[in-house]
């Protein structure tokens, strides 16, 4: 949300056509967003779970409070403020779009004429684009803040939420809030936190679900944290039934005064339901057809005919299902607009990443404990500039005239690995890793012990399939809670890359080739972690630390500078394991793409899961669940900022084939067939030893 300064040494002549495409998409996306329905984008997002109440700072609070006061002496209601906010947002996005078009024309003029006046204007205009983008983002944050403030009820009214879902409330005994939720007192730190001194500490499953209707639930980040962690204390069916009961009991209040408690419960129920679908469809509804069927049946039979909420939810479910299956044709017009808007924002963010990358890059280095000083600093100044992003033709084998087919990758062997640069291989491996990482969800990293994930083991045993893993051992979710096992697929992919690295090395037939390949993989890993692709870097490190690989004679003749990279990688591994939120420090993760190590992240979550989840009175510890939600939220944070390298599909195809070939290989068996993997005794020295032995034996018989 902060504008990033332009790099002082940015080379305008390196700006690529890819950047122009980003500018076009960016201008269209922000212009379209105000036309979406008011219920668009109910999910608070990862930042709400990570920052909590700090997500909306005092500036946002003050801006909304003062909005409209200059037009009227009376304070406007929230609906009037939202209308004015929409108008401001539309005006700013139009100005932003015009500036992008002007900047585009200026870029083309600069390429043709190379005039000094045009070149001097570009940095200034770039700064204006940054400021305008920050302003649009700020207004969108204010809009989300205005939405979050609506439809909540005060704490004293929360028991009403429970009673509203009961068919017969006459026989219900009065229920006090203290029997459902437990708070602890703290000093008031946030000026926009109305409760200030009360922080939720624990609650019963019913109480925690009820707190979703609290006035500050969205503002405190509670809703997003709940959506990440509710499976520890209730099933998806129980949560859905809780929401549907609240909607059913308040159907008659849908058109009443919006200030009444029942109307607030009705509207908040739909906000929560839509936020759940938007954020967790892939892990809850896509894997549970009964749950999805129950929701669709309820909407079609009871809600669709009343107002636009039902149609909106059905459209959202249809879009989510199409996105999950890859069927873009099923998206409605509104959903397509949302998708284009989201894609445009990603590419816009990538553009701004390029503008500010030179500044962020200077602060990125590692410190080793052996007195080696800072290492791993960027040494390629043009690594992310426009022209450098497009990979050069890596070798003749990938040209159209090549006589070597990629279908015969086994025959080509590691030759292409040696001919391609470490940077090119880093880019394509990063894109392959990003493709796998973008399919995961924060919830996938929860309860990983039940899937058989353990420390120093990237996946369950190859002899045991994912279907046969016992979920009864160490299962922290409720027994009837359905858990998506995509984490196993993610870790199996990591294991395959590590095995591929080890296999490529031990199958080299000469020590000289092994040294070259070791140097190449070490350079690739270094490039990966410098680009914050820690997943691939740690996978390569695991392959190099294979017991067979570490015993190869080639390590002894490896150049000292190259061998130092191994120490750097170990230092990075220690850094990643030191703190669960180490990659979220500072603002680099907002401007530079990041892919974390899935296994390291799973181990951090397992550490947070250690210990009891409930207090002596049976209440679930919300402070523990909140910390877990904060750690896993970084998955969505990193997915928001993708890598923008140009894909080389032929090189990717070659890498896929090599990885697939060796993914289940026995490294010890491969090494046994290659004499270069053994320490060789020189023939002359070996002959002398035999003669000395014979001489000693002869002496014993004399």
């Amino acid at each position: 949300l902060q504008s990033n300064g332009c790099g002082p040494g940015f080379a305008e002549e390196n700006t690529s056509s890819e950047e122009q495409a980003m500018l076009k998409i960016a201008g269209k996306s922000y212009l379209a967003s105000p036309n979406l329905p008011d219920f668009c984008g109910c999910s608070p997002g990862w930042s709400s779970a990570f920052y909590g109440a700090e997500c909306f700072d005092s500036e946002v609070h003050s801006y909304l409070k003062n909005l409209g006061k200059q037009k009227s002496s009376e304070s406007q209601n929230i609906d009037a403020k939202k209308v004015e906010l929409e108008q401001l947002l539309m005006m700013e996005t139009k100005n932003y779009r015009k500036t992008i078009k002007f900047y585009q024309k200026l870029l083309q003029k600069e390429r043709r004429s190379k005039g000094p006046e045009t070149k001097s204007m570009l940095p200034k205009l770039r700064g204006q684009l940054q400021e305008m983008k920050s302003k649009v983002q700020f207004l969108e944050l204010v809009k989300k803040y205005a939405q979050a403030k609506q439809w909540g009820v005060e704490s004293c009214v929360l028991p009403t939420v429970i009673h509203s879902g009961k068919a017969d409330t006459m026989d219900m005994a009065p229920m006090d809030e203290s029997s459902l939720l437990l708070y602890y007192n703290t000093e008031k730190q946030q000026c926009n936190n109305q409760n200030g001194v009360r922080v939720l500490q624990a609650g019963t499953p019913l109480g925690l679900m009820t707190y979703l209707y609290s006035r500050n639930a969205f503002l405190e980040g509670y809703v997003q944290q709940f959506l990440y962690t509710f499976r520890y204390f209730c099933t998806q069916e129980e949560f859905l039934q809780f929401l549907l009961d609240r909607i059913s009991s308040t159907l008659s209040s849908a058109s009443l005064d919006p200030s009444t408690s029942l109307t607030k419960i009705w509207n908040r129920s739909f906000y929560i339901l839509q936020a759940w679908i938007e954020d967790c469809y892939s892990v809850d509804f896509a894997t549970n057809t009964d749950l999805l069927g129950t929701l669709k049946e309820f909407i079609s039979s009871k809600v669709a005919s009343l107002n636009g909420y039902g149609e909106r939810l059905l459209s959202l479910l249809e879009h989510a299902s199409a996105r999950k299956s890859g069927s873009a044709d099923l998206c409605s017009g509104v959903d397509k607009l949302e998708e284009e808007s989201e894609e445009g924002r990603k590419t816009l963010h990538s553009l701004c990443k390029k503008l500010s990358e030179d500044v962020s890059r200077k602060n990125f280095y590692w410190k080793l404990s052996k007195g080696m000083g800072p290492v791993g600093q960027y040494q390629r100044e043009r690594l992310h500039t426009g022209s450098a992003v497009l990979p050069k033709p890596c070798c003749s084998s990938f040209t159209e005239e090549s006589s070597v087919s990629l279908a015969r990758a086994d025959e080509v062997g590691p030759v292409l690995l040696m001919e391609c640069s470490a940077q090119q291989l880093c880019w394509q491996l990063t894109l392959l890793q990003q493709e796998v990482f973008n399919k995961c969800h924060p919830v996938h990293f929860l309860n990983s012990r039940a899937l058989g994930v353990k420390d120093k083991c990237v996946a369950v045993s190859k002899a045991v399939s994912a279907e046969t893993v016992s979920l009864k051992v160490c299962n922290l979710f409720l027994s009837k809670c359905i858990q998506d096992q995509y984490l196993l697929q993610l870790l199996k992919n990591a294991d395959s890359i590590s095995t591929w690295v080890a296999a490529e090395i031990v199958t080299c037939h000469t020590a000289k080739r092994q040294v070259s390949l070791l140097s190449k993989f070490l350079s690739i890993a270094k490039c990966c972690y410098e680009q914050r692709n820690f997943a691939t870097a740690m996978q390569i490190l695991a392959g190099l630390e294979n017991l067979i690989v570490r015993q190869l004679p080639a390590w002894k003749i490896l150049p000292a500078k190259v061998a130092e990279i191994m120490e750097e990688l170990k230092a990075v591994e220690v850094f990643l394991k030191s703190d669960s939120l180490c990659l979220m420090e500072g603002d680099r993760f907002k401007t530079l793409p990041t892919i974390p190590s899935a296994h390291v992240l799973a181990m951090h979550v397992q550490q947070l899961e250690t210990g009891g989840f409930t207090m002596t009175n049976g209440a679930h510890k919300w402070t523990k669940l909140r910390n877990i939600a904060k750690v896993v939220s970084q998955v969505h944070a990193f997915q928001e900022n993708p890598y923008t390298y140009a894909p080389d599909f032929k090189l990717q195809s070659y890498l896929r084939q090599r990885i697939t070939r060796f993914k289940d290989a026995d490294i010890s068996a491969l090494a046994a067939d290659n004499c270069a993997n053994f320490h060789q005794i020189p023939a002359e020295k070996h002959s002398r030893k035999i003669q000395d032995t014979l001489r000693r034996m002869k002496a014993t018989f004399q």
Side-chain angles (χ1 to χ4, degrees), residues 158-375:
L158 287 179
T160 306
V161 176
I162 299 176
H163 292 296
S164 66
K166 302 297 181 180
D168 186 6
T169 59
M170 298 300 294
D171 298 332
M172 283 286 297
M175 190 172 294
D176 188 75
E177 183 192 6
S178 60
S179 63
L180 301 171
L181 300 167
L182 180 64
Y183 301 87
Y184 67 89
N185 296 330
T186 183
E187 294 182 3
K188 185 175 180 180
Q189 297 177 347
Q190 304 295 327
C191 62
N192 61 329
N193 187 354
Q194 301 296 330
N195 292 332
V197 296
R198 293 217 313 171
V199 178
L200 183 62
Q201 181 181 12
T204 64
L206 181 59
L208 293 175
M209 287 189 286
T210 303
Y211 193 75
L212 290 167
Y213 292 80
S214 173
R215 182 165 55 89
N216 289 329
F218 271 95
L219 302 181
E220 295 171 353
Y222 179 84
V223 173
Q224 188 66 42
Q225 294 162 358
F226 180 94
L227 293 177
Y228 284 158
T229 59
F230 73 85
R231 298 153 197 83
Y232 288 109
F233 55 85
C234 73
T235 65
Q236 293 96 332
E237 287 79 6
E238 291 171 346
F239 179 39
L240 178 62
Q241 193 59 49
F242 176 84
L243 294 176
L244 299 186
D245 287 344
R246 267 77 227 158
I247 295 175
S248 298
S249 62
T250 55
L251 280 173
S252 59
S253 306
S255 58
L256 297 180
D257 183 3
S259 62
T260 62
S261 297
L262 291 180
T263 305
K264 290 180 178 179
I265 293 172
W266 158 270
N267 285 286
R268 177 60 69 90
S269 298
F270 279 100
Y271 261 82
I272 296 170
L273 185 56
Q274 182 169 333
W276 185 17
I277 297 172
E278 288 176 354
D279 197 80
C280 300
Y281 178 88
S282 61
V283 293
D284 288 328
F285 295 95
T287 58
N288 191 339
T289 55
D290 293 337
L291 187 74
L292 183 60
T294 301
L295 177 58
K296 286 185 175 181
E297 174 64 24
F298 178 85
I299 296 173
S300 302
S301 60
K302 294 190 176 182
V303 182
S305 60
L306 293 180
N307 52 32
Y309 286 0
E311 294 180 2
R312 173 64 191 173
L313 287 176
L314 289 175
S315 177
L316 183 64
L317 288 171
E318 186 179 359
H319 169 60
S321 177
R323 185 171 53 185
K324 178 73 175 176
S325 61
S327 303
D329 295 335
L330 296 178
C331 299
S332 64
V334 172
D335 295 325
K336 286 182 180 179
L337 189 58
E338 288 179 1
E339 194 171 30
E340 292 172 1
S341 175
E342 181 181 356
E343 184 64 25
R345 291 164 202 250
K346 286 183 179 180
T347 51
L348 175 67
H349 193 74
S350 301
L351 168 66
C352 296
K353 168 184 71 69
K354 289 184 179 181
L355 305 183
S356 60
E357 199 166 40
D358 293 334
V359 177
S360 303
R361 182 185 303 166
K362 295 177 181 178
N363 299 324
F364 185 68
Y365 63 89
W366 306 99
K367 292 183 178 179
L368 300 182
S369 58
K370 296 185 179 181
M372 296 175 62
V375 293

Side-chain angles (χ1 to χ4, degrees), residues 19-67:
E19 182 175 309
Q20 294 187 36
M22 291 179 177
L23 288 166
K24 290 180 180 179
I25 299 175
K28 293 178 182 178
S29 65
Y30 274 111
L31 184 64
S33 59
N35 297 326
L36 296 176
D38 185 46
F39 250 39
C40 172
C42 291
S43 175
W46 68 266
S47 58
S48 177
F50 184 79
Y51 294 108
E54 297 177 359
C55 182
F56 303 105
D57 56 16
S58 58
E59 186 178 0
V60 175
H61 173 71
S62 301
Y63 187 90
L64 184 63
K65 183 178 180 181
N66 298 326
L67 193 64

Side-chain angles (χ1 to χ4, degrees), residues 10-17 19 103 107 111 126 386-387:
F10 189 88
E12 298 295 340
E13 60 272 13
N14 290 329
T15 306
S16 65
S17 58
E19 182 175 309
Y103 178 77
L107 276 177
R111 286 197 187 92
R126 194 185 302 275
S387 60

Side-chain angles (χ1 to χ4, degrees), residues 31-163:
L31 184 64
S33 59
N35 297 326
L36 296 176
D38 185 46
F39 250 39
C40 172
C42 291
S43 175
W46 68 266
S47 58
S48 177
F50 184 79
Y51 294 108
E54 297 177 359
C55 182
F56 303 105
D57 56 16
S58 58
E59 186 178 0
V60 175
H61 173 71
S62 301
Y63 187 90
L64 184 63
K65 183 178 180 181
N66 298 326
L67 193 64
K69 285 189 176 181
Q70 63 273 20
K71 293 185 178 180
S72 175
S73 58
E74 301 178 359
S75 60
Q76 292 182 318
N77 59 32
I78 190 66
D79 291 327
K81 293 187 179 208
K82 288 174 67 176
V83 171
E84 183 177 351
L85 186 61
E86 292 284 4
Q87 294 174 350
L88 289 172
L89 189 56
M90 182 176 295
M91 181 178 64
E92 290 296 331
T93 50
K94 285 183 178 179
N95 293 335
Y96 182 67
R97 184 185 184 189
K98 291 179 181 178
T99 308
I100 285 179
K101 288 183 177 180
F102 178 65
Y103 178 77
Q104 227 176 345
K105 293 179 181 178
L106 210 60
L107 276 177
Q108 297 173 354
K109 183 179 179 181
E110 190 269 340
R111 286 197 187 92
R112 291 193 300 266
S113 62
K114 299 288 182 181
E117 296 181 359
T118 304
K119 195 168 185 178
S120 62
M121 288 181 61
L122 284 171
K124 297 179 182 179
L125 196 58
R126 194 185 302 275
Q128 293 179 10
L129 281 173
Q130 291 279 14
E131 293 178 3
M132 299 176 86
K133 171 182 175 287
S134 298
K135 191 168 185 179
V136 171
Q137 286 184 329
F138 177 78
L139 290 175
E140 287 184 334
L141 187 64
V142 175
K143 179 183 176 181
K144 183 172 285 189
Y145 177 70
Q147 289 179 339
K149 286 178 66 69
Q150 284 189 302
W151 314 127
V153 299
E154 298 294 338
S155 298
C156 59
V157 189
L158 287 179
T160 306
V161 176
I162 299 176
H163 292 296

Side-chain angles (χ1 to χ4, degrees), residues 670-690:
L670 290 176
D673 296 334
N674 188 0
C675 61
N677 298 322
F678 303 96
H679 294 271
Q680 302 295 327
I681 302 176
E684 182 180 347
K685 185 176 180 181
H686 184 61
S687 177
R688 191 183 307 116
K689 283 188 175 182
I690 294 176

